[in-house]
Amino acid sequence: MRALLVTSVGVTCAAALTLPLAAPALSAPAAHSASARPPSLSPESPGSGPPSARSEAAPDEANDGGTLEAPEAPEAPEAAPPRTGETRAAALAGSTQSLPLEPLSAPSDRSVGPAASGQGLDRRTARPFSLVGVVWDDAEAELHGTVQVRTRATGGTSWSDWQDVETHNVEHAADLGSAERASGAVRGATAPLWVGDSDGVEVRVRPEAADPQHPAAVPLPEGLRLELVDPGADPAPEPAPAGRTVTPAAFAGNPVPPATTTAVPEALTAESAATSAVNADLAPLGATVIPALTKAETEEEAAIVAAGAKPYIGPRPKIVTRKGWGADEKLRERNFAYTKSVKAAFVHHSATGNNYTCKQAPSVLRSIYRYHVKSSGWRDFGYNFAVDKCGNIYEGRAGGVAKAVLGAHTLGFNTNTMGVAVLGTYSSTNPPAAAVTAVSKLTAWKLGLFGANPKGKVTLVSGGSGKYSKGKKVKMNVISGHRDGFATECPGARLYKKLGKARTSSAKLQGR
């Protein structure tokens, strides 16, 4: 797949001057040379390099927010040790504990019957974390079996029930043959699971049982590791000049009252300035929220950023920026990757579970982001946008919300599409109406920028997936579910049934 890359170096001066920058035009930037080194191999790209090259930091080195090899922890459910010696920067950045799995001993409860061959970890104390997942060495290998975890809330003594972790996650990935996929950093991984603030964990991974058709069980992938992700602290409220009132990024279902402060506005890092500058036509540099517009205002703006969008474009919805949800911009690849257009939108569920509040959604996003980059080896957050259960819309992969940013969300169909993840698991649970409405609003605007009809059909060329061979032309709905492009359960049966309503609402918002 031919991806288009744009460096973010040129915007670093904006950070020093704190002057508005004009965002690049919506049309795709010039293609990079075919001989150029893949972005994941760039020595200037924070968090790059294969997992085997990641530093195995000592506990005090974990304060840089990187991935570390967790030491052996006591098996007894003791209270978690305090976070001594942590700097404020480290607490904000978050961290990842990576624990190699071991051969399973006899089950800790009798309900599972005789022990099957597998790997896992007995109950143990860990530094606080909120999201878990299992990774392995070979990104092309699949885990045929089950992964279950149970956790203990921080400071508590009781343990949760066993929770299933979604193992079929290979379809959420960069396309085969892409620079991101070929970087050498990508690993196999389960879907991440949000468990809330915890300090104890137990995990078991078992292969599929043998049956008459398959007399020998498929072995588990090599290099299984448990990843425990701490999202770090929420970003501080945006300061305002002396005596002026500022409203921090507020979330539906979680109102935040205005606050008056005399703090001096913080200086943006070069990475944060680069991420913000590509949205400079839509919001000031360093903004935590891109405000909603009326349809008339959106059409007027579209004349600047997407001249061909009128008259069929929906009102721009409010979008919480990466700065608004607290993304650590030093984790992602330094360059932005673009595709030529946005012809379709694929809707996903994150499969992270529904046990989160809307106030916690930014923490869930930071956890998924860290899991995608540090644990799975991706260049950035995989989805272009995320939506929480209260209908808040979040900027996903960096590069500009109005631009055709190349994501890693639908294996085989990342080119000329966008991926929207609804936070939660919607296989047997109905998605909240607010979330479906948010999908409609977002697609009405973003697809409208590129002249796409939400109720229409589009022909896409497969980059190779488990459902369509590479090069096959496939006719799909402009708003499709992930399962339309890959043999997967995503976005969950209940959310998938709501896509018809989303298409109709989206087209109506566009004025069709």
Side-chain angles (χ1 to χ4, degrees):
M1 177 183 62
R2 297 176 59 190
L4 303 174
L5 297 176
V6 168
T7 180
S8 57
V9 175
V11 299
T12 56
C13 293
L17 299 175
T18 62
L19 294 175
L21 265 178
L26 237 184
S27 57
H32 65 287
S33 167
S35 62
R37 180 163 48 180
S40 294
L41 299 181
S42 169
E44 297 176 316
S45 178
S48 64
S52 60
R54 296 180 298 181
S55 60
E56 306 296 331
D60 59 341
E61 293 175 314
N63 295 334
D64 65 358
T67 302
L68 57 117
E69 182 83 20
E72 284 293 323
E75 295 181 4
E78 302 170 354
R83 300 188 191 185
T84 57
E86 270 197 346
T87 64
R88 173 169 173 77
L92 289 172
S95 64
T96 300
Q97 302 170 72
S98 186
L99 294 77
L101 300 192
E102 303 165 352
L104 278 175
S105 56
S108 56
D109 63 67
R110 298 181 180 180
S111 63
V112 297
S117 60
Q119 298 182 40
L121 292 173
D122 292 332
R123 290 186 181 185
R124 61 188 56 212
T125 293
R127 287 183 293 100
F129 61 92
S130 296
L131 179 139
V132 303
V134 171
V135 300
W136 53 92
D137 295 340
D138 185 0
E140 307 304 322
E142 292 191 51
L143 195 162
H144 295 280
T146 60
V147 176
Q148 294 181 308
V149 299
R150 56 183 172 188
T151 56
R152 183 189 63 216
T154 297
T157 57
S158 60
W159 288 75
S160 72
D161 294 332
W162 285 106
Q163 298 186 74
D164 293 322
V165 179
E166 175 58 61
T167 59
H168 300 292
N169 195 48
V170 66
E171 65 271 18
H172 298 83
D175 288 340
L176 301 174
S178 66
E180 182 171 3
R181 185 79 174 201
S183 68
V186 180
R187 307 175 80 179
T190 66
L193 178 68
W194 176 260
V195 294
D197 193 8
S198 306
D199 64 10
V201 67
E202 182 178 9
V203 60
R204 60 190 185 195
V205 181
R206 301 186 189 278
E208 288 180 347
D211 57 44
Q213 285 74 32
H214 305 87
V218 178
L220 295 173
E222 296 290 333
L224 289 171
R225 305 179 74 88
L226 175 67
E227 304 286 292
L228 306 177
V229 181
D230 173 13
D234 286 328
E238 187 176 359
R244 293 185 61 186
T245 298
V246 62
T247 302
F251 307 101
N254 176 39
V256 179
T260 301
T261 176
T262 57
V264 177
E266 65 174 306
L268 293 175
T269 65
E271 295 86 359
S272 295
T275 301
S276 184
V278 286
N279 290 319
D281 279 344
L282 314 180
L285 195 69
T288 59
V289 168
I290 296 171
L293 298 179
T294 65
K295 194 172 192 303
E297 291 170 335
T298 302
E299 290 174 354
E300 183 178 349
E301 177 190 73
I304 301 173
V305 299
K310 292 179 67 177
Y312 299 115
I313 184 169
R316 188 182 76 194
K318 183 181 79 172
I319 301 172
V320 180
T321 66
R322 288 169 64 95
K323 182 174 174 57
W325 56 262
D328 179 359
E329 299 298 347
K330 292 184 179 180
L331 291 182
R332 66 169 174 80
E333 289 287 354
R334 182 165 170 258
N335 294 331
F336 304 134
Y338 296 96
T339 184
K340 291 182 179 180
S341 184
V342 179
K343 298 179 178 180
F346 283 100
V347 178
H348 305 252
H349 65 173
S350 63
T352 47
N354 301 318
N355 295 322
Y356 74 94
T357 65
C358 295
K359 183 178 180 180
Q360 293 174 320
S363 293
V364 176
L365 289 171
R366 292 195 303 277
S367 297
I368 296 174
Y369 172 42
R370 174 170 281 277
Y371 184 76
H372 281 177
V373 177
K374 302 299 288 185
S375 300
S376 304
W378 298 1
R379 64 177 295 122
D380 193 354
F381 189 83
Y383 307 103
N384 298 102
F385 296 93
V387 172
D388 70 22
K389 62 175 68 174
C390 291
N392 297 301
I393 300 171
Y394 303 86
E395 178 183 16
R397 181 164 286 208
V401 297
K403 303 184 187 307
V405 177
L406 178 66
H409 49 83
T410 307
L411 182 65
F413 294 98
N414 291 308
T415 299
N416 296 332
T417 68
M418 61 184 267
V420 182
V422 180
L423 298 182
T425 303
Y426 300 106
S427 303
S428 57
T429 300
N430 286 326
V436 178
T437 298
V439 171
S440 300
K441 291 179 178 180
L442 174 62
T443 52
W445 172 70
K446 184 63 182 278
L447 291 173
L449 289 174
F450 293 86
N453 181 351
K455 289 200 301 184
K457 301 283 187 179
V458 63
T459 299
L460 302 174
V461 180
S462 173
S465 72
K467 190 171 184 178
Y468 299 108
S469 60
K470 184 175 182 179
K472 183 174 180 61
K473 294 182 178 180
V474 185
K475 191 173 185 178
M476 295 185 184
N477 290 311
V478 168
I479 297 179
S480 285
H482 187 183
R483 63 174 61 183
D484 295 319
F486 196 97
T488 176
E489 199 270 342
C490 183
R494 299 291 183 91
L495 178 54
Y496 189 75
K497 288 181 179 179
K498 299 292 185 180
L499 295 188
K501 177 178 176 59
R503 293 183 193 107
T504 301
S505 299
S506 182
K508 185 175 181 180
L509 287 168
Q510 283 192 348
R512 295 182 187 269

